[in-house]
Amino acid sequence: MRKYKKSTITLLILFLIILSYQFNFIQKMTARLTASVYTSFKYNDLDFSYQKTEFSSQFGNYFISYKDKNGKVIAFEVTPKFFPVFVSFDPIDSAP
């Protein structure tokens, strides 16, 4: 009986997580968190300040903008729309 209760609770939590990702503000927060973690690990020495999060319906991705200490705006592309956890474009890493 105890095993059944644990699996039911696990399924309920999983269902609530999936349900919560149907809301745009949750998706935006996840995209921002993904970009924040990415920049803090990869570019810890650069001083970025968060600017804004935008969803591009043409690309189906989120663009998270940061400003560096020189005032240059840099935007990271985070994908996919429903579960934005992958940084698909890094303007610093792809610059020649």
Side-chain angles (χ1 to χ4, degrees), residues 29-77:
M29 287 183 349
T30 305
R32 181 178 175 189
L33 178 67
T34 300
S36 176
V37 168
Y38 180 82
T39 56
S40 67
F41 278 115
K42 193 156 183 177
Y43 305 111
N44 192 21
D45 55 334
L46 300 176
D47 188 26
F48 287 134
S49 62
Y50 170 77
Q51 294 297 306
K52 63 182 174 180
T53 301
E54 293 180 44
F55 176 73
S56 172
S57 58
Q58 291 176 323
F59 297 107
N61 297 331
Y62 288 93
F63 291 93
I64 292 73
S65 302
Y66 290 94
K67 189 181 281 189
D68 66 3
K69 59 186 170 189
N70 298 328
K72 183 179 177 184
V73 176
I74 298 168
F76 294 90
E77 183 178 0

Side-chain angles (χ1 to χ4, degrees), residues 12-28:
L12 181 63
I13 290 172
L14 184 63
F15 176 74
L16 290 175
I17 289 171
I18 292 170
L19 181 66
S20 70
Y21 273 96
Q22 301 304 313
F23 300 107
N24 288 335
F25 69 93
I26 300 280
Q27 295 168 355
K28 276 188 171 183

